Amino acid sequence: MLEMTREEFEELVAEALDRIPPELTRLMDNVAVFVEDEPDPGDPELLGLYEGTPLTDRGEWYAGVLPDRITIYRGPTLRMCEAREDVVAETEITVVHEIAHHFGIDDERLHALGYG
C-alpha cells in the first residue's frame, strides 16, 4: 500500500477543492468536506460519500438543517493507487464526484462523464 500521511492526503483534498471552478463553488450551499481514514466496514473500498439533500431537491422547507457532508476516504484511495500521481488524480475525481451529488447529478451521469 502506498504511504501518505493524513496531513498530506488532506492537502490533496484541499487542492482538489481549489481546482473546482469558482462559479460552481459559489453555488455550493450548506456543505462541509471531511477526510476520514476508512469508510464503514460494510463498504471498505468506498472512496467518497455524499450525505445530505442535493440542491435540486431543496425546497421551501429547507432551513435550519445541519450541513450536507462530503467525506473522502484515505485508506481505500491509497490501497488502489500505485503512485502519488495516481492519488492526486483519484482524489480529484472523487472530490468532483461527491460535489456533483451535492448538485443533484446521479452516478449514471457521472460515469458517463468519466467521474465514476
Side-chain angles (χ1 to χ4, degrees):
M1 182 169 107
L2 185 66
E3 294 292 324
M4 181 178 287
T5 67
R6 178 155 178 154
E7 291 77 22
E8 289 173 303
F9 189 78
E10 287 174 349
E11 183 62 30
L12 292 182
V13 171
E15 290 170 3
L17 288 167
D18 288 344
R19 286 190 288 278
I20 302 295
E23 54 272 17
L24 289 180
T25 57
R26 281 193 293 275
L27 298 173
M28 293 173 65
D29 182 48
N30 200 31
V31 62
V33 178
F34 298 91
V35 170
E36 298 290 340
D37 288 328
E38 295 293 336
D40 183 274
D43 200 355
E45 297 309 312
L46 186 67
L47 303 180
L49 180 65
Y50 170 75
E51 300 170 285
T53 304
L55 294 174
T56 53
D57 293 345
R58 295 179 186 181
E60 293 177 16
W61 59 269
Y62 189 85
V65 299
L66 292 173
D68 292 2
R69 180 181 177 101
I70 291 174
T71 307
I72 308 299
Y73 297 106
R74 179 176 157 262
T77 304
L78 295 180
R79 286 192 293 276
M80 74 175 291
C81 295
E82 295 183 16
R84 186 177 195 287
E85 296 77 26
D86 300 332
V87 176
V88 171
E90 192 57 53
T91 300
E92 186 165 330
I93 289 169
T94 303
V95 167
V96 169
H97 182 106
E98 301 310 329
I99 288 173
H101 286 319
H102 177 68
F103 283 100
I105 301 171
D106 65 18
D107 281 330
E108 183 178 328
R109 180 69 178 137
L110 286 168
H111 285 271
L113 294 171
Y115 289 98

